[in-house]
Amino acid sequence: MAEKISVLISEDEVDKRIAQLAEQLSNEYEGKVVHFIGVLKGSVFFMCELAKKMTVPVTMDFMSVSSYGNGTTSSGIVKLIKDLDESIEGREVILIEDIMDSGRTLSYLVKILKERKPASFKVVTLLDKPERRVVEIEPDLTGFVIPDRFVVGYGLDCAQKYRNLPYIGVIAE
Ligand code: IMP
Ligand code: MG
């Protein structure tokens, strides 16, 4: 079945905003090595673009959690599927998220990662849907605040499809 996707945030807008975020973070972490932690699979595209534009050295690791089934509604349960390969103790950690929705995934990750004693810890998300929050938690840096719509592209999927779209889109109803 062919669904119609309309553009919410264009490729050009996303790229420009990521360049701004990279500049801001590079200034903040001047003289340091930052350790990006990506949450698979959604944050991969954002993480790579951001890393490419950083002017300080960046190391990377990945985790995988699940909070959603294959559809568009939250199960409310966060499960750790893949843990980090390396220790984060004493490192300048930046957790990279694709989107913050209820905040459940992030609050779970922040809790377990802060216990591992990083030197510093920040959360950067490409998208934020603050209207949907059920857990009180805010990212340190956000690409775009968006309305309560289910979005796809730039890493975000609907039943594993559309991650490869170079823009942020919404599936037309
Ligand atoms: P939270 O735990 O409810 O904040 O959910 C965060 C995760 O749900 C994200 O990392 C995404 O994987 C997924 N998610 C939330 N909203 C959307 C959306 O609009 N499109 C695609 N995935 C979404
Ligand atoms: Mg995610």
Side-chain angles (χ1 to χ4, degrees):
M1 192 179 64
E3 286 148 315
K4 220 173 124 48
I5 314 276
S6 51
V7 178
L8 182 68
I9 307 169
S10 71
E11 182 173 4
D12 192 46
E13 285 176 282
V14 178
D15 288 346
K16 284 201 175 108
R17 182 66 184 131
I18 294 177
Q20 289 174 345
L21 298 175
E23 193 185 343
Q24 188 176 335
L25 289 169
S26 298
N27 289 334
E28 248 173 79
Y29 290 87
E30 185 70 57
K32 296 180 173 162
V33 176
V34 295
H35 190 55
F36 277 7
I37 295 180
V39 186
L40 294 171
K41 314 178 181 95
S43 69
V44 168
F45 290 70
F46 173 43
M47 179 157 152
C48 292
E49 284 308 310
L50 188 65
K52 275 156 61 182
K53 293 179 166 85
M54 295 288 290
T55 55
V56 296
V58 178
T59 55
M60 298 187 205
D61 204 345
F62 295 94
M63 318 180 77
S64 180
V65 292
S66 77
S67 62
Y68 273 67
N70 254 352
T72 59
T73 51
S74 174
S75 66
I77 301 159
V78 182
K79 209 168 69 179
L80 182 62
I81 294 174
K82 183 218 172 289
D83 205 342
L84 297 172
D85 292 338
E86 293 168 38
S87 164
I88 58 168
E89 192 172 337
R91 301 175 91 158
E92 314 290 342
V93 171
I94 304 182
L95 181 67
I96 312 284
E97 260 285 27
D98 51 357
I99 188 164
M100 267 191 83
D101 190 29
S102 71
R104 284 192 185 103
T105 310
L106 194 64
S107 73
Y108 169 79
L109 289 174
V110 168
K111 185 177 163 289
I112 64 166
L113 293 175
K114 279 191 173 167
E115 282 168 4
R116 301 182 187 184
K117 304 188 180 69
S120 67
F121 186 83
K122 249 190 214 304
V123 176
V124 179
T125 186
L126 179 60
L127 304 172
D128 187 8
K129 291 198 275 197
E131 284 169 55
R132 300 255 308 165
R133 205 76 89 249
V134 299
V135 178
E136 223 176 287
I137 188 159
E138 297 306 326
D140 296 290
L141 202 55
T142 301
F144 301 90
V145 172
I146 59 164
D148 182 11
R149 304 279 303 274
F150 193 82
V151 291
V152 294
Y154 226 95
L156 290 146
D157 73 303
C158 179
Q160 299 303 325
K161 281 195 296 186
Y162 307 120
R163 292 191 194 278
N164 60 309
L165 295 177
Y167 55 86
I168 308 289
V170 286
I171 300 171
E173 322 232 330

